[in-house]
C-alpha cells in the first residue's frame, strides 16, 4: 500500500503570507469564492496564488503516494484548487472540528491527521507543523511519517518535491526488503 501524501493548500500551494503587492515568481493570481469564505461575510473574492507547475509535480508523486487534501478547503479544494493545477478529484480529510483545541501544544490538524492515516505511512506538507507535532507523531504513530513544513511566504519548492520523492523511494526500498 502506498503512503499517503497529505496536502495543505494555504502555505504550501498558496504562499498567502508573501508580500500582498508582490506575487512570488512563477505563481499566478486567482480570485476564488469558496463557501467558507463567502459564509464568513467576505465581500470580495479571496486572492489565491498558485504555481501552474505544482500540479504536474504532485501528479508525478502519485506513482509513489496516494494524494489526499489535508486543508481547511476540504472538498472545495477539488472545485477550486485542483482544476487550476490539473489535478483529478482527490480524497480529503473532513476535519471533525477546525481550529479547535489540540493535545500537548500540537497544531489542531495533527490529531486528525493521525486518525485519518490509521497506522499507514504518510508524508504531510503544511505551513503550521512544529517540533511538537513531530514529537507527537513519532510517539503515537506506528508507521513512518514525514512532516514537511513549508514556508507560507514561499510555498513548495523544488527541494520539497525532491524530499518527498526521496522519502517515498526510501520507504519503498524498506518495504521491499
Amino acid at each position: 500500500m502506498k503512503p499517503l501524501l497529505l496536502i495543505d493548500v494555504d502555505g504550501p500551494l498558496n504562499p498567502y503570507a508573501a508580500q500582498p503587492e508582490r506575487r512570488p515568481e512563477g505563481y499566478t493570481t486567482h480570485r476564488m469564492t469558496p463557501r467558507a469564505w463567502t459564509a464568513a461575510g467576505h465581500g470580495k473574492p479571496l486572492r489565491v496564488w498558485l504555481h501552474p507547475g505544482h500540479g504536474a509535480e504532485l501528479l508525478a508523486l502519485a506513482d509513489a503516494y496516494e494524494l489526499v487534501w489535508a486543508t481547511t478547503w476540504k472538498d472545495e479544494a477539488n472545485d477550486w484548487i485542483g482544476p487550476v493545477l490539473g489535478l483529478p478529484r482527490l480524497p480529503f480529510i473532513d476535519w471533525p472540528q477546525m481550529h479547535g483545541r489540540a493535545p500537548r501544544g500540537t497544531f489542531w490538524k495533527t490529531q486528525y491527521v493521525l486518525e485519518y492515516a490509521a497506522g499507514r505511512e504518510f508524508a504531510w506538507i503544511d505551513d503550521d507543523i512544529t517540533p511538537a507535532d513531530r514529537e507527537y507523531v513519532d510517539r503515537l504513530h506506528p508507521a513512518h511519517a514525514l512532516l514537511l513544513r513549508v514556508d507560507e511566504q514561499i510555498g513548495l519548492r523544488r527541494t520539497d518535491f525532491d524530499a518527498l520523492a526521496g522519502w517515498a523511494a526510501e520507504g519503498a526500498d524498506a518495504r521491499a526488503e
Side-chain angles (χ1 to χ4, degrees):
M1 184 177 288
K2 295 190 280 190
L4 301 166
L5 177 54
L6 306 173
I7 308 161
D8 183 29
V9 170
D10 295 317
L13 294 176
N14 170 28
Y16 69 91
Q19 296 177 2
E21 65 282 345
R22 251 189 66 210
R23 178 177 65 211
E25 186 175 336
Y27 285 78
T28 56
T29 301
H30 304 270
R31 301 291 178 186
M32 301 181 177
T33 53
R35 283 185 305 274
W37 182 256
T38 55
H42 298 286
K44 296 189 329 187
L46 174 65
R47 182 218 54 190
V48 177
W49 286 326
L50 297 172
H51 192 295
H54 285 171
E57 294 281 5
L58 290 169
L59 288 174
L61 291 170
D63 289 339
Y65 289 99
E66 178 185 331
L67 306 181
V68 176
W69 293 119
T71 174
T72 58
W73 289 71
K74 299 200 265 184
D75 191 35
E76 284 196 275
N78 285 312
D79 300 328
W80 295 98
I81 306 301
V84 174
L85 298 179
L87 295 173
R89 291 193 75 80
L90 302 176
F92 64 96
I93 298 177
D94 190 10
W95 313 108
Q97 180 178 355
M98 292 196 300
H99 311 288
R101 296 181 62 141
R104 300 185 178 205
T106 58
F107 179 39
W108 67 265
K109 286 183 183 179
T110 307
Q111 61 190 319
Y112 304 124
V113 162
L114 291 188
E115 286 177 18
Y116 187 88
R120 285 178 67 181
E121 292 182 319
F122 70 87
W124 175 26
I125 52 176
D126 203 297
D127 60 305
D128 285 308
I129 293 169
T130 68
D133 300 299
R134 288 188 179 89
E135 186 276 325
Y136 185 82
V137 170
D138 287 346
R139 190 169 37 80
L140 296 177
H141 191 66
H144 289 91
L146 171 67
L147 279 65
L148 184 62
R149 188 192 179 286
V150 176
D151 186 329
E152 65 274 10
Q153 293 182 350
I154 298 170
L156 286 164
R157 297 178 295 179
R158 168 85 263 134
T159 55
D160 299 318
F161 290 110
D162 291 344
L164 291 164
W167 186 84
E170 288 171 13
D173 292 345
R175 287 187 296 278
E177 292 177 357

